[in-house]
Amino acid sequence: MSVSVQFYLTLLLVYVGVNLIACWGLNLQMGVAGILNFGFVLFQAAGAYAYALFTLGPVSGGAGLNAGYQVYLWGTQLPFPIPFLAAIAAGGLLAALVGVVVLPRLRGDYQAVALLVVSLIGGGIVLNNISLLNGASGLSGIPKPLAGVTGLSGIGYSWFYVALTALICLMVWYVVHQIGVSPFGRTLRAIRESEAAARSLGKDVKRKRLTAFIVGGALGGLSGAVLVGFINAWAPASWGYQETFVFVTVIIIGGFGSNLGVAVGVILVPIIFGELPTFLPQLGQASWLGAIQLILYGALTLGFLWFRPRGIVPEKRISYSRSDLVGRGRQVEANEMLAVVLAGEEGVPRHDGDVSGQ
Amino acid sequence: MSLIALYVGFGVVSAAILALAAVGFSMQYEVTNVLNLAYGQVMTVAALAAYAVNRLGGALWLMLVVGGLVGAVLSAILNRLIFSPFAKRGLKLFGMIVITIAVGLIVGNISLILFGFGSFSYGVASLTTYRFAGMVFTGSQLATVALALAAMAVIRIVLVKTKIGRAMRATATDPVLARASGIRTGLVSDVAWLISGTLCGLAGVAAATSVAAWSVTTGDSLLITILAAAVVGGIGQPYGAMLGALLIGIVTSVIGGYVNPSYTEISAFLILTGFLLFRPAGIVPGVVLEREVIA
Amino acid sequence: MMEMSVVSEGVREAEVSAPILELRGVSRQFGGVHAVEDISMSVYEGQVVGLIGPNGAGKSTIVSLIAGSLQSTDGKIFLDQKELSGLAPDVIARRGIARTFQVSAEFSRLTVLQNLLVAPKEQKGEGLFGALAGRRYWGGSESQNIERAFELLTQFGMLAKANDYAGSMSGGQRRLLEVMRAIMVGPRVLLLDEPTAGVHPNMIGELREQLVRLRNQGLTILMVEHEMDFVRSMCDVVIVMARGRVIAKGTLDEVRSDPKVMEAYVAG
């Protein structure tokens, strides 16, 4: 494989990872908890900027390259993985602030519009106040994580970054999957279906939804960090509300509320439908490309909502049977016996099976 | 002091246009039950149609008529082709909002391909200026403000006083019940989209008249302030939207112009946050939240 | 408003202790119109109280006021002599009042079983960190809840529907589902809003049997109900409402012979 193809491939893979993290986060908010967040990209932006500020160093006299030509409010340079953690914190914190204001006070329709407006105004603020985050030109020369430590450069580093992204995706998958199958996820889905009924069962609806919103926002922040760690630049143009719509399209096509579906959607939507038009023979001016892509996204969304509203891989129905319970009980017994065998004569069986009593 | 008056004057003009657009948006939600985020793009298409009239030498009134007509017809078509079929399938609020965004993307980007990225201006801004209490207005600005007020008044009267107006609101609230009580809901919903679409088209032309350069994406960015005004006003409440638009229009204009241009968004943001925190039901108190509790 | 004397003997016995649920002069207005006005009533532990009356009498409003999904404009509501007025519905639910809704409010894209599993209080793994700890942390309590849910489903004859989406149930099945779900919370007071509406006649017998069993275990029930046979066989006391006011209290037979009640039904 030629190096340029490899570069393209690594870029594509990192994009897939970034979109996976972001869409899983948004799916937690929207698909599982039923919060219509049309401003999700704001949290991705917050994470991206946080990563930048924690790696670029102080504004003047910072790491050689970026010194002097860009301005921002504050900056420092801390080692991996602190900038990533800062991005998670930034996304989560912003989600907490926005969530506290918007979620308990507004009905679903207000929420959707208010979140959209907040993200749009947020973009406007960054754009027009250059001293904050360098305005429209955005931040660039953002350092790559672990570049010095690994000693890799060029395509080698790119493949290393793909692996790092994959590892982060696995961790995020663990989080969203565990939430999805847990009683917490079930309560969130119940709230999505009927807030009033969930409340009548004693569920603290505000708190549960806010928690889901914050976790989703933190994942959005993380996705932003993973993105800028690779492309090393970030500007307001990267986070218009169309970006959120692309995420929403992914979730609708993949399967609302379904983490597996979202993964399928992430691979299908931006890669195939986003990249496909670039391989088409030039239909007109090159500048039409973005427009054609967005038209495709719009059309796809309409098509799916009409023909397959639950997506390619619908939210999984969790079934139980009484024999399951008995079966699980048996399995624990088997585990204990195995533990006894493994522990030999000196050991006491460890009780770490799935049925631990209370 | 006089400078402040000047910016208040600018604010009044932008607020009037904003009010026209925000009232249209709110009313569309009230009478159709669709929170239409493709609104900005329909405004744009209407403005473009008016631009064509303008190039052919048509007068301002003709541009407004054509713009209003295009807004009305396009809105009604979108409803017939897309919104209404989806609503009949039982798609709820969330799905419908997503659909309007999708439609907005399609309409917006098609107009982008057809009309390009360049900006244009009508060149109707009259040079005659009028002074009033330290504020300066141009003739076309005054015409716009007058038009905005007149259109809002007329449509409000139609909505509240006439039979078709009541039928529209009944249909939006509960189409099944409305149909059961003998309302021809299909026709009523067409009328609702035609009327609210007219307002949308007029707002598009008015907005394009008042800015120096208009491009295909201007309507889109205008939607931010429209939405902010609608939220501040309490969504689905046209009077509230009007007050919200006035507040946001004038405050952002004065702060952006007199204090510092980079504070424009921040001031809009603060107004919005303030309302979300302290008056979540919007400027006009009570009604909406109450309705939710009962349902 | 004065307390009307209640003559039934079982009730007298119960009245020795303080009421578990009490309304004192409760009113609720909608835009100047009284939905309910100056309502006072006492419900004692282990009682089954029927709330009857013509349509629009304000019966469901009472249920919503007690459950906290509506706030009263006047008057006070007590559970165990502790005031409930002003509390959020979820807080009231956690204090021990569960309810069903007049218009079914099932979680339609969850299965019937999952609907029931949402209900238990203070589940392990229902918070973020518990969820992240994984099944080995919450699996145990989950198994117990599943066991209980299966038991209820068996008792209500809906075992075969356990893994079907709640949204695909018939109207009557949804009613039963809501009753089961409310029971899963483990409440002290159960508010039922027309529990038999749309329920198949064969199933009404099962419903009655289960509710009686729960009553015998000490559960207090307040139900809005139109089906008079059901009320007769279930309720110790009935309270008759018309036009937002209480017009009679007593056993079903007592209130039936009350001329005010007859008038209300004819006029209502």
Side-chain angles (χ1 to χ4, degrees), chain A residues 184 186-187 202-203 320 358, chain C residues 94 118 124-126 142 163:
Chain A
F184 179 46
R186 182 171 57 218
T187 300
K203 304 301 167 192
Y320 304 88
Q358 282 299 343
Chain C
R94 288 198 290 275
V118 172
K124 280 189 167 185
E126 214 188 352
E142 178 89 343
N163 291 312

Side-chain angles (χ1 to χ4, degrees), chain A residues 187 191 198-199 201-210, chain C residues 90 94 126:
Chain A
T187 300
I191 292 168
R199 251 189 216 115
L201 300 173
K203 304 301 167 192
D204 192 339
V205 169
K206 285 179 194 173
R207 200 187 153 127
K208 299 274 180 234
R209 297 186 77 192
L210 187 61
Chain C
D90 53 317
R94 288 198 290 275
E126 214 188 352

